[in-house]
Amino acid sequence: MTELKLHEKHLEKYKSGYPLIFKEAVIGYQLIESSGLEEGSLIKLTDEKGKYVATGYYGKQNKGIGWVLSKNEKESVGLPFFQKKLYSAIEKRLGLYNNPKTNAFRVFNGEGDGIGGLTIDFYNGFYLINWYSLGVYAFKSHVIEALKKCVEFDGIYEKLRFEGLESEHPDGFVTGTEAKFPLVIKENGVSIEVFFNEGAMTGIFLDQREVRRAIRNNYAKGKDVLNTFSYTGAFSVFAALGGAKSTTSVDLANRSKEHTEHNFALNQVSLDRHQILVEDVFNYFKFAAKKGLTYDLVILDPPSYAKSKDFVFSAEKDYPELLAEAIKITRQGGIIVASNNSSTITLEKFKQIIGKGFNIGKARFEILEIHQLPKDFRAHHLYEESNYLKVVFLKRIK
Ligand code: SAH
């Protein structure tokens, strides 16, 4: 095991259980990196005198160089270790496993469940593993073996979310039986199509489950809804099932239209009062303002960063402007659901961003409710960035 010494000033952090190994914390990291430490190597973190602090693995991601796995020097990181971590994660999700209305959720959430760089989601019989570094991928056989021992499944799939290596199977199929895509999952009784063969996204963002339910149950009835950055239209379908008078889904990706149509059809909602537009959201705002179109409920769920033909959008910089545009076409007393998923923007900061947006839009608002990650997306209490999701329901009061 490679020994890495920690700088004195970061010692307390790791002693108290901080999960991310970042290079500034390690003495002489440059040297270690250039000496060719292999991804997936186990690391013993020590103080300057060589006294044990924690065990981790080496695996470079944009955020750090690896993750802590244990604070017990005697614990070895083999199959039983992975089995224990998985088992304990699964136990915490039994409520979801036993929920007859929902069969898609997160089973294992990286550092929140004790292994950074690894997530596992369940989609109606199929498990999808996301590997975020070559380092964590080195533990693949243990993770698959452990999963096989812990659960029954139809099939296991993977996505390699790091550069330089691709899954052996084009769809990321690993073992079991292959799924037929699209696969249909259920969430709170609503059917949604998912697929593992269209890049990183799967057709549904599982972390927004409670937001979709809130929109359907409490905000949609009788409302004209605008869903921007609508992707497969999941928010629109939930709004429609909650009794929305109309929905308009806007996304610039061509494929979003067909996916959205399918999701409406799956839930027996005819498209009579539901529009699906392939268009740049910022152009649509201009169009709607010009035509005098207004809405009771506007959903803003942009990616953290997006580049289109006409605009570059970075949540950090451009969210106030996005909100201001949305305000122009939100009726008095209407609701804006403002979502942000950048790990570098805290809830406090996002509230300030929202304040700025309403200032530009010359409107006032009150916050009705705030959603963060659901329980299955377990965050690590010492690693603030793992708690990335902030969804604020705003009522326009002037
Ligand atoms: N709100 C969606 C997820 C959005 S994913 C849901 O809950 O399922 C981000 C989406 O934004 C992608 O589908 C992408 O095509 C779209 N997108 C990015 N920039 C855009 C722009 N300028 N105008 C419209 N859509 C955009």
Side-chain angles (χ1 to χ4, degrees):
M1 205 182 304
T2 307
E3 201 174 301
L4 299 187
K5 289 195 162 68
L6 294 163
H7 283 293
E8 175 73 34
K9 71 168 179 184
H10 295 295
L11 205 55
E12 276 316 306
K13 213 169 173 159
Y14 289 99
K15 278 189 180 163
S16 66
Y18 187 75
L20 179 69
I21 309 174
F22 53 93
K23 56 179 184 233
E24 294 79 8
V26 174
I27 297 175
Y29 175 69
Q30 293 313 343
L31 229 108
I32 293 153
E33 190 182 30
S34 56
S35 76
L37 181 58
E38 239 177 86
E39 293 261 339
S41 302
L42 287 175
I43 290 173
K44 179 173 159 184
L45 295 174
T46 69
D47 67 11
E48 293 188 20
K49 295 199 187 90
K51 190 162 167 262
Y52 177 87
V53 175
T55 311
Y57 76 88
Y58 184 62
K60 282 191 274 185
Q61 286 179 236
N62 53 359
K63 23 185 140 186
I65 59 163
W67 295 94
V68 171
L69 296 173
S70 176
K71 286 205 309 167
N72 174 0
E73 190 166 14
K74 297 204 184 79
E75 185 168 45
S76 63
V77 182
L79 180 58
F81 170 86
F82 287 94
Q83 221 172 305
K84 191 181 85 185
K85 292 287 178 205
L86 250 72
Y87 187 81
S88 143
I90 288 160
E91 237 185 349
K92 296 187 180 86
R93 277 84 174 174
L94 288 181
L96 281 161
Y97 275 105
N98 294 325
N99 179 340
K101 291 189 176 156
T102 298
N103 60 20
F105 49 88
R106 178 143 295 187
V107 172
F108 195 93
N109 196 41
E111 65 281 6
D113 284 299
I115 308 174
L118 169 73
T119 66
I120 307 177
D121 294 324
F122 179 70
Y123 292 92
N124 190 14
F126 292 86
Y127 285 86
L128 176 62
I129 305 176
N130 276 287
W131 310 100
Y132 285 92
S133 71
L134 184 59
V136 74
Y137 196 59
F139 301 106
K140 174 171 168 175
S141 60
H142 282 338
V143 172
I144 304 282
E145 217 34 56
L147 190 56
K148 280 183 174 170
K149 284 197 178 355
C150 288
V151 293
E152 290 178 4
F153 57 84
D154 292 325
I156 300 178
Y157 280 74
E158 66 179 358
K159 282 187 193 295
L160 277 54
R161 308 287 293 271
F162 56 91
E163 308 257 292
L165 196 67
E166 261 159 42
S167 184
E168 277 166 34
H169 188 285
D171 292 351
F173 173 69
V174 179
T175 186
T177 46
E178 289 193 44
K180 261 222 191 78
F181 299 120
L183 183 74
V184 176
I185 60 99
K186 267 206 186 304
E187 183 187 273
N188 289 310
V190 179
S191 300
I192 298 285
E193 283 189 356
V194 301
F195 32 81
F196 302 159
N197 51 1
E198 284 189 23
M201 303 194 290
T202 62
I204 187 157
F205 285 89
L206 296 174
D207 54 3
Q208 297 273 17
R209 181 171 57 243
E210 286 166 7
V211 179
R212 285 186 284 270
R213 187 178 55 183
I215 286 174
R216 178 189 65 186
N217 293 2
N218 308 323
Y219 290 94
K221 201 170 168 63
K223 298 293 159 63
D224 290 314
V225 179
L226 174 64
N227 180 13
T228 63
F229 307 94
S230 57
Y231 186 38
T232 58
F235 284 129
S236 307
V237 172
F238 272 75
L241 292 170
K245 185 153 47 128
S246 76
T247 70
T248 302
S249 306
V250 184
D251 195 295
L252 56 71
N254 270 318
R255 57 171 189 205
S256 67
K257 185 165 164 66
E258 197 182 328
H259 286 317
T260 305
E261 285 169 358
H262 287 185
N263 282 333
F264 273 107
L266 263 181
N267 294 283
Q268 284 89 43
V269 182
S270 93
L271 287 176
D272 296 350
R273 289 175 295 127
H274 304 287
Q275 269 198 92
I276 307 161
L277 305 173
V278 176
E279 207 183 322
D280 195 302
V281 162
F282 293 92
N283 284 332
Y284 185 74
F285 282 136
K286 289 205 178 74
F287 166 83
K290 206 164 90 196
K291 294 274 171 190
L293 301 174
T294 57
Y295 298 90
D296 303 300
L297 176 61
V298 177
I299 301 164
L300 300 177
D301 181 26
S304 311
Y305 180 83
K307 209 171 149 184
S308 68
K309 190 159 67 34
D310 304 321
F311 303 97
V312 180
F313 178 82
S314 132
E316 177 116 36
K317 203 161 67 27
D318 302 320
Y319 213 110
E321 211 41 68
L322 174 69
L323 256 175
E325 290 294 315
I327 290 163
K328 284 187 200 156
I329 57 169
T330 303
R331 294 174 189 153
Q332 289 291 346
I335 308 285
I336 297 180
V337 178
S339 172
N340 174 266
N341 56 16
S342 6
S343 58
T344 51
I345 298 179
T346 61
L347 177 59
E348 277 323 299
K349 192 159 165 201
F350 189 46
K351 283 185 186 166
Q352 289 167 9
I353 288 175
I354 290 169
K356 254 195 214 166
F358 272 82
N359 249 338
I360 301 172
K362 297 193 173 56
R364 287 181 45 213
F365 67 96
E366 74 191 19
I367 293 179
L368 299 182
E369 58 183 286
I370 297 177
H371 288 261
Q372 294 197 259
L373 289 171
K375 280 212 180 72
D376 46 327
F377 283 69
R378 248 176 102 77
H380 192 291
H381 67 292
L382 294 176
Y383 185 62
E384 175 86 43
E385 291 89 330
S386 64
N387 203 6
Y388 58 87
L389 187 69
K390 296 130 324 245
V391 186
V392 184
F393 283 61
L394 304 155
K395 181 173 180 170
R396 177 175 181 186
I397 51 175
K398 222 184 104 193

